[in-house]
């Protein structure tokens, strides 16, 4: 079944129909979902969702845009949260230079600190990186992130950068952008990477695939990404689902 490796169902955009929507996943072929924290509050609510639904797992971490809320006390809180039996990763963490704030040095500091936390608690990381390829790669190298493992999610860089991440042992997260008319760069990345390095993700409520582009995204639209990927790779949609599910289980340390 389809494994959505990155979603935000705690987002208020799902307040009107969250239960109904999540209740419809299994029937639609969505097997597992990892709900990803982006700040302290959404890390808590990710765990709450994972407690409520057997097929949902959680990641806890603070997104670079919220990194100013981090301090050692909150790192300790994240550490505690990460020991929850349904927490499978530290994330999302990383660098986002698209927005002027917070200061790059602050982002870098807490990206490194959360990589160290992941190493300490032996969980993979979910890396968010936008317009910060070189700094992201240097910090990954500096912190030996290859030993930690994880995914560079919502991948937006060139195939050269994708190869570097893959060579470090990282997976590449691919979602709705693959179906965009201007998604050429991501198509090239998908072409260049072996299937064994690719994970499916929505990043919902954001980045809905065509023909839902601009609308609220959800895991039910992932078959559109599966279809696009199967065309690019010349394999069946079933194979895409099977391989990406296996990759996701391997990365998150989940058995069948
Ligand atoms: Ni996200």
């Amino acid at each position: 079944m389809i494994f959505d490796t990155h979603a935000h169902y705690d987002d208020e955009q799902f307040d009107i129909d969250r239960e109904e929507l999540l209740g419809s996943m299994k029937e639609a072929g969505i097997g597992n979902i990892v709900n990803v924290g982006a700040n302290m509050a959404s890390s808590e609510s990710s765990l709450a969702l994972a407690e409520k639904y057997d097929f949902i797992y959680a990641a806890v971490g603070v997104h670079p845009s919220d990194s100013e809320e981090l301090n050692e006390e909150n790192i300790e809180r994240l550490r505690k949260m990460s020991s929850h039996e349904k927490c499978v990763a530290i994330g999302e963490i990383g660098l986002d230079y698209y927005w002027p704030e917070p200061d790059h040095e602050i982002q870098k500091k807490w990206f490194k600190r959360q990589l160290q936390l992941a190493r300490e608690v032996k969980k993979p990381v979910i890396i968010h990186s936008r317009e910060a390829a070189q700094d992201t790669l240097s910090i990954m190298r500096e912190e030996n992130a290859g030993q930690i493992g994880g995914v560079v999610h919502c991948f937006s860089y060139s195939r050269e950068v994708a190869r570097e991440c893959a060579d470090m042992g990282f997976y590449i997260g691919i979602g709705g952008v693959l179906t965009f008319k201007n998604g050429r760069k991501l198509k090239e990345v998908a072409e260049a990477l072996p299937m064994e390095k690719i994970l499916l993700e929505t990043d919902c409520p954001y980045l809905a695939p065509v023909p839902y582009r601009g609308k609220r995204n959800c895991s039910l639209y992932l078959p559109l990404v599966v279809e696009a990927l199967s065309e690019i790779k010349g394999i069946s949609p079933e194979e895409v689902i099977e391989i990406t599910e296996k990759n996701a289980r391997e990365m998150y340390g989940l058995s069948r």
Side-chain angles (χ1 to χ4, degrees):
M1 282 167 98
I2 290 176
F3 196 127
D4 186 351
T5 60
H6 192 121
H8 301 283
Y9 282 108
D10 55 297
D11 190 283
E12 59 179 17
Q13 288 190 50
F14 293 110
D15 284 355
I16 42 161
D17 61 349
R18 183 175 296 108
E19 279 202 29
E20 197 190 336
L21 187 60
L22 291 174
S24 71
M25 290 298 163
K26 271 187 184 159
E27 211 172 299
I30 311 300
N32 289 102
I33 296 170
V34 173
N35 204 81
V36 179
N39 51 43
M40 296 306 292
S42 61
S43 294
E44 299 268 14
S45 37
S46 295
L47 284 178
L49 273 177
E51 277 174 5
K52 187 164 177 191
Y53 296 93
D54 60 346
F55 63 97
I56 296 184
Y57 293 87
V60 301
V62 174
H63 185 285
S65 297
D66 275 335
S67 52
E68 273 173 320
E69 77 170 336
L70 275 173
N71 49 41
E72 277 306 315
E73 198 185 313
N74 280 343
I75 291 286
E76 283 317 302
R77 274 179 64 204
L78 287 174
R79 185 194 305 277
K80 258 198 201 117
M81 284 189 238
S82 75
S83 67
H84 191 289
E85 58 171 5
K86 294 203 76 184
C87 175
V88 292
I90 298 297
E92 52 189 297
I93 65 174
L95 302 174
D96 193 325
Y97 293 173
Y98 177 80
W99 305 105
E101 301 281 322
D103 188 84
H104 295 178
E105 291 311 312
I106 293 174
Q107 296 191 32
K108 286 192 217 168
K109 172 180 173 182
W110 294 110
F111 178 30
K112 287 184 204 169
R113 186 67 189 91
Q114 291 181 96
L115 280 170
Q116 290 155 6
L117 173 67
R119 177 190 298 284
E120 288 157 21
V121 302
K122 299 187 170 63
K123 307 253 181 201
V125 287
I126 300 168
I127 295 180
H128 167 103
S129 177
R130 184 152 69 146
E131 297 190 10
Q134 287 322 313
D135 281 1
T136 302
L137 284 173
S138 341
I139 289 176
M140 285 168 79
R141 282 192 211 101
E142 210 177 293
E143 296 294 330
N144 285 311
Q147 298 166 355
I148 301 167
V151 57
V152 183
H153 108 93
C154 190
F155 196 81
S156 58
Y157 300 131
S158 66
R159 52 188 159 183
E160 289 74 24
V161 176
R163 276 208 197 93
E164 282 201 57
C165 297
D167 286 348
M168 254 187 263
F170 271 72
Y171 293 90
I172 303 295
I174 289 182
V177 176
L178 195 68
T179 68
F180 292 2
K181 268 214 175 85
N182 56 353
R184 194 187 155 73
K185 205 161 99 182
L186 187 61
K187 287 184 185 111
E188 286 174 6
V189 165
E191 254 166 37
L193 283 175
M195 270 310 292
E196 285 62 38
K197 286 293 172 193
I198 297 176
L199 298 180
L200 291 177
E201 64 167 60
T202 53
D203 203 17
C204 65
Y206 313 107
L207 298 170
V210 172
Y212 304 104
R213 189 173 181 180
K215 305 224 166 71
R216 186 186 76 174
N217 194 9
C218 74
S219 314
L220 301 178
Y221 299 158
L222 272 175
L224 294 160
V225 179
V226 168
E227 206 173 296
L229 203 49
S230 95
E231 269 169 36
I232 290 169
K233 303 304 272 183
I235 58 175
S236 70
E238 292 73 25
E239 282 174 284
V240 169
I241 292 170
E242 194 188 312
I243 300 169
T244 51
E245 182 186 15
K246 184 169 171 274
N247 297 344
R249 289 188 180 283
E250 235 162 65
M251 187 190 85
Y252 286 131
L254 298 167
S255 50
R256 273 242 49 143

